[in-house]
Amino acid sequence: MAHFIYGVAENTGKGFFTAEDRRKFFLRGYPANVWMVGNNVDGAMWLAEKGAREKTKSEAQALIDAEVQAAQAEYDALSDEEKALPGRTRPADVILP
């Protein structure tokens, strides 16, 4: 049995998830609006309430990879001066657990 459920849902901002949600189940957000929740009733219900489209781990990883690669390409296209600005770093790869 998988430890996590993956889904895609648009983060609507404040109130999208609450402290109570975080106490009930594991919850982590990733690029491409991918959400990973604990594989339990509360996590599954939260995804359903958010209208999330459930994804397999490999589907979720592919979405994340595409978004990160696009951000990396955007960074790589910057001039050296733009790359040197404070806070500018090349986006790192993200691997789902």
Side-chain angles (χ1 to χ4, degrees):
M1 179 181 201
H3 293 343
F4 302 110
I5 305 170
Y6 303 92
V8 175
E10 184 74 29
N11 184 339
T12 56
K14 186 174 180 157
F16 182 68
F17 62 85
T18 65
E20 183 179 345
D21 293 332
R22 303 279 309 223
R23 283 190 292 274
K24 287 181 174 179
F25 57 92
F26 180 86
L27 170 66
R28 182 173 292 157
Y30 290 95
N33 287 310
V34 171
W35 297 90
M36 181 176 77
V37 299
N39 188 1
N40 60 35
V41 171
D42 292 320
M45 291 296 294
W46 182 85
L47 284 175
E49 289 168 6
K50 301 306 174 190
R53 296 174 313 280
E54 194 169 323
K55 301 291 182 184
T56 65
K57 181 179 178 181
S58 61
E59 290 170 333
Q61 185 67 60
L63 292 169
I64 292 167
D65 290 346
E67 185 158 308
V68 169
Q69 289 166 4
Q72 289 171 338
E74 186 176 306
Y75 176 86
D76 293 343
L78 295 173
S79 69
D80 288 341
E81 293 80 26
E82 291 172 309
K83 289 177 184 174
L85 292 173
R88 280 268 167 101
T89 58
R90 188 173 194 270
D93 290 333
V94 175
I95 307 298
L96 290 172

